[in-house]
Amino acid sequence: MRKQLLSTLALVGVMALTATGCSTDTADNDDVAAPGGGGGGGGDEVITVGFAQTGSESGWRSANTESMNEAFSEENGFELVFNSADNDPAAQIAAVRSFINQGVDAIVIAPIVEDGWDDVLREAQDAEIPVILEDRTVTASDDLYASWVGLDFELEGQKAGEWAAEEFTEPTNMVVLEGTTGSAPANDRAAGFDAAIEGTPIEKIDSQSGDFTRDGGKSVMEGFLQKHGADGIDLVYAHNDDMGLGAIEAIEAAGAVPGEDIKIITIDAVRDGMQALVDGKINYIVECNPLLGETAAELVKAVLAGEEVEKTTIVEDQAFDQAAAEEALPDRTY
Ligand code: GZL
């Protein structure tokens, strides 16, 4: 593990200097790499990275995990210690603490929820282990992590809302399938969408979390259909494709036609969602690019090499109607 190697080298360096009677406060001492990273990303030491993933809640998450595994590979100079927290915020924080105790060289986190990160991020900082956030963000001060690579969730919600505002000019009853409660994408996609439909005849008659899962979207949609009736719902806004796909199952089971009787807007643009868009069961999808691994790996190497890095790296998204999905689907890599 690079971090231990550096610490050992530092210790040997200081001992050697002391043994030869050299003062350890000479300028030469600066040549000994500081333990805990910042010792240069060069050289061929393996970089041990602890990665705290949310879980495996959606097709998007599988694509993101694949991207991270590919980037943090052995041939790229990494040893990846992977933890999947099964969408449990407490378990994810415990995983990060375990990475700190293992003395990894760097930690990457896809934080399930925004809050509750200050203490463990401070512990990582005290242990001189840099933290990179990928995908979602946290409310903790950005002094507590080196960098974040992710998406503009509020813009994703805004794009979805702008399409809805153009499409629905008559009184429209909308239900919302929210993402994981307390997560940045759920909070920001709601805010962006709500701002974009301000002043339109679209009324939000219900909103509940389906936790970004297909089963969650299906069971929440079943509840909405029981409560409002299929005739009482014109539009579903789902914070991700998987919940939208679950809603399709519930709408069809209720004898209505998804994409026609009840229109559906989702976010992610994973393969299954794009296929439903081509099939006319979803009406509009805003992409959320899961391929963040390469940038995250570059950030880890740069931070460990002591280079200045941007605090925020936003990956571009696009949006698809049915025609655009038909064109893009054959070449989609996720
Ligand atoms: C967004 C990501 C969200 C996806 C969901 O960047 O955090 O989590 O939209 C995933 O599909 O579960």
Side-chain angles (χ1 to χ4, degrees):
M1 188 176 297
R2 189 171 174 279
K3 182 173 162 55
Q4 278 171 344
L5 175 64
L6 284 173
S7 305
T8 308
L9 281 178
L11 183 62
V12 167
V14 168
M15 285 167 63
L17 283 171
T18 309
T20 54
C22 300
S23 149
T24 54
D25 57 8
T26 62
D28 295 344
N29 193 28
D30 296 343
D31 300 342
V32 176
D44 52 6
E45 310 91 17
V46 172
I47 299 174
T48 303
V49 171
F51 174 37
Q53 181 58 293
T54 60
S56 51
E57 73 279 2
S58 64
W60 189 98
R61 189 60 54 195
S62 306
N64 178 249
T65 294
E66 190 180 334
S67 168
M68 293 291 286
N69 284 330
E70 275 171 18
F72 288 91
S73 63
E74 237 174 85
E75 51 267 32
N76 287 345
F78 292 100
E79 181 195 348
L80 187 67
V81 184
F82 178 85
N83 177 279
S84 173
D86 197 18
N87 250 5
D88 175 350
Q92 189 174 43
I93 287 177
V96 173
R97 279 214 168 88
S98 146
F99 294 150
I100 295 170
N101 295 336
Q102 291 173 52
V104 297
D105 297 310
I107 294 171
V108 179
I109 307 170
I112 296 167
V113 295
E114 291 188 290
D115 297 334
W117 286 97
D118 297 67
D119 291 347
V120 75
L121 291 178
R122 203 164 283 115
E123 290 164 32
Q125 197 167 66
D126 294 345
E128 298 183 331
I129 300 175
V131 172
I132 304 285
L133 302 182
E134 72 100 12
D135 177 20
R136 302 180 186 175
T137 51
V138 298
T139 51
S141 162
D142 68 10
D143 294 336
L144 292 175
Y145 55 88
S147 188
W148 163 61
V149 53
L151 301 309
D152 186 338
F153 303 127
E154 191 157 344
L155 181 59
E156 292 167 352
Q158 179 191 317
K159 285 180 183 176
E162 285 168 351
W163 185 84
E166 270 181 37
E167 198 67 20
F168 298 93
T169 54
E170 300 298 318
T172 302
N173 289 336
M174 173 180 74
V175 296
V176 180
L177 298 173
E178 300 168 9
T180 300
T181 303
S183 68
N187 292 337
D188 296 351
R189 285 172 183 169
F193 189 98
D194 289 349
I197 64 167
E198 186 83 32
T200 71
I202 300 172
E203 186 190 348
K204 189 190 302 183
I205 60 170
D206 231 320
S207 187
Q208 191 180 327
S209 174
D211 217 13
F212 282 131
T213 66
R214 202 174 290 208
D215 287 348
K218 181 179 179 185
S219 62
V220 171
M221 191 65 206
E222 285 165 348
F224 289 159
L225 287 162
Q226 264 167 6
K227 187 173 166 187
H228 303 285
D231 295 343
I233 300 171
D234 305 303
L235 171 63
V236 177
Y237 169 41
H239 288 176
N240 81 328
D241 290 358
D242 283 67
M243 291 190 293
L245 293 164
I248 287 170
E249 290 178 41
I251 292 166
E252 288 174 333
V257 181
E260 290 178 29
D261 300 331
I262 299 178
K263 299 269 194 309
I264 300 178
I265 302 172
T266 68
I267 297 180
D268 272 353
V270 294
R271 182 171 300 284
D272 289 351
M274 292 287 271
Q275 187 58 60
L277 177 52
V278 166
D279 297 342
K281 296 185 176 182
I282 289 178
N283 301 90
Y284 193 70
I285 301 185
V286 176
E287 181 187 45
C288 176
N289 190 332
L291 307 182
L292 306 174
E294 198 175 322
T295 305
E298 287 163 4
L299 285 167
V300 166
K301 286 193 173 177
V303 169
L304 288 178
E307 294 165 18
E308 283 293 310
V309 295
E310 293 292 325
K311 189 59 85 172
T312 296
T313 306
I314 296 283
V315 174
E316 290 300 310
D317 288 324
Q318 50 185 319
F320 300 90
D321 60 15
Q322 189 176 41
E326 278 162 357
E327 196 179 323
L329 188 56
D331 305 327
R332 295 289 286 176
T333 56
Y334 57 89

